[in-house]
Amino acid sequence: MNSFRELRKERKLTQIELSKLLGIDQTTVSKWELGKALPDTATLIKLADFFDVSTDYLLSRSNFYYPDKLIQSMQTVAPMGDSSYSSEEREIILKYRTLPEKLKKMVRDNLEVYSESNELLPKKDKKV
């Protein structure tokens, strides 16, 4: 997985557009995406701020965009004493929050399809 390419494409930017935003050469962006080079510290921080991800995510040291925010979000979704969500539901929410926007949309679309099909079932056959 190349986080630089993935994030750039998620924002619908070309290598040239990203390089202009950062004030660097397009070939530098290409080298990052090919794994031939890494950005310097200052540029890495700019990229993390621009894409709203952690530097660890950019360096492929984490699968989560922002691990600290993920932990906080879990407590926001269902604080430890709150039993309104099952552990399975909390896990699904946490996994959803780590997905790129394109995949989140696919999950929402599928959820909509399955929700509609569930409404068509007779009450005794409905899935919970």
Side-chain angles (χ1 to χ4, degrees):
M1 171 186 79
N2 187 298
S3 55
F4 298 107
R5 177 178 287 141
E6 177 186 309
L7 291 167
R8 177 180 60 77
K9 287 189 173 199
E10 212 173 89
R11 292 276 177 109
K12 296 180 172 69
L13 293 170
T14 65
Q15 287 183 351
I16 293 171
E17 291 168 332
L18 181 59
S19 67
K20 285 181 182 178
L21 286 169
L22 296 171
I24 58 173
D25 192 72
Q26 178 268 329
T27 57
T28 303
V29 175
S30 177
K31 287 177 185 177
W32 298 341
E33 292 186 3
L34 294 171
K36 293 183 177 181
L38 289 172
D40 61 50
T41 304
T43 305
L44 187 66
I45 291 169
K46 281 183 191 177
L47 286 163
D49 289 343
F50 178 77
F51 289 118
D52 193 28
V53 297
S54 68
T55 53
D56 275 354
Y57 180 80
L58 288 172
L59 297 172
S60 299
R61 292 175 44 93
S62 171
N63 292 330
F64 301 112
Y65 279 15
Y66 252 114
D68 294 337
K69 284 186 179 179
L70 183 64
I71 292 166
Q72 291 170 356
S73 70
M74 181 177 176
Q75 292 171 346
T76 303
V77 170
M80 291 308 220
D82 184 358
S83 62
S84 61
Y85 296 105
S86 70
S87 60
E88 182 181 27
E89 289 169 323
R90 281 194 298 273
E91 187 178 333
I92 290 168
I93 292 167
L94 291 175
K95 285 180 181 179
Y96 172 82
R97 288 182 173 178
T98 65
L99 297 174
E101 280 306 313
K102 197 179 272 187
L103 288 177
K104 283 182 181 179
K105 183 180 179 335
M106 289 174 60
V107 169
R108 289 191 306 267
D109 291 346
N110 280 308
L111 186 59
E112 189 67 32
V113 168
Y114 287 113
S115 295
E116 288 172 7
S117 65
N118 193 35
E119 290 171 9
L120 300 174
L121 293 173
K123 288 189 186 233
K124 67 178 186 166
D125 293 334
K126 282 193 177 185
K127 300 171 190 166
V128 177

